[in-house]
C-alpha cells in the first residue's frame, strides 16, 4: 500500500463499514517510537535557513525521509527543529532497524 521507505509502510490496516455498506480501508494510527530506541547514523548541526527536507536529502539522499529526523526528536511541530541555528539533530534509522542501509552510511 505504501512505499517501503514510508513511515506508514509497516502499519496495519483496518476496515470500517459505512452505513451504506461500503467498506473503507484505512491505516491504523501510528505511534512515535521512543527516541532512545532509534539508532543514530549521523548528526547535523542546524545552519541558518536549514529545513528538514533539505537535511534529509543531504544526509539520507531523499527529502521525503525528513520524518526520520522528526521522529528522533518527538516534536509536535517539525519546523521547530530548524528554528535555532546550532542545534544538534540526530539522523536515525527507521524504527526497528539496527543496521544501516548502505545509503545511510557516512560518505
Amino acid at each position: 500500500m505504501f512505499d517501503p521507505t514510508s513511515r506508514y509502510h509497516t502499519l496495519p490496516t483496518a476496515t470500517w463499514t459505512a452505513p451504506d455498506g461500503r467498506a473503507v480501508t484505512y491505516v491504523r494510527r501510528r505511534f512515535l517510537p521512543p527516541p532512545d530506541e532509534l539508532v543514530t547514523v549521523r548528526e547535523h548541526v542546524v545552519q541558518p535557513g536549514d529545513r528538514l527536507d533539505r537535511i534529509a536529502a543531504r544526509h539520507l539522499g531523499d527529502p521525503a525521509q525528513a520524518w526520520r529526523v522528526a521522529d528522533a526528536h518527538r516534536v509536535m511541530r517539525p519546523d521547530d527543529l530548524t528554528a535555532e541555528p546550532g542545534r544538534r539533530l540526530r539522523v536515525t534509522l527507521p524504527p526497528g532497524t539496527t543496521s544501516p542501509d548502505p545509503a545511510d552510511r557516512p560518505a
Side-chain angles (χ1 to χ4, degrees), residues 28-92:
R28 291 197 175 264
R29 188 165 71 177
R30 177 179 183 266
F31 293 97
L32 290 176
D36 58 334
E37 293 180 10
L38 298 173
V39 176
T40 300
V41 292
R42 296 203 175 101
E43 193 173 81
H44 176 84
V45 178
V46 174
Q47 301 299 313
D50 268 352
R51 294 187 343 213
L52 282 188
D53 61 334
R54 290 181 181 164
I55 293 168
R58 177 177 175 192
H59 295 290
L60 300 169
D62 182 0
Q65 295 299 299
W67 64 270
R68 289 169 49 180
V69 179
D71 276 5
H73 297 279
R74 282 199 122 164
V75 294
M76 294 300 291
R77 295 186 320 228
D79 288 341
D80 288 350
L81 292 174
T82 55
E84 184 181 327
R87 180 175 184 169
R88 296 176 104 55
L89 300 179
R90 294 173 58 214
V91 178
T92 64

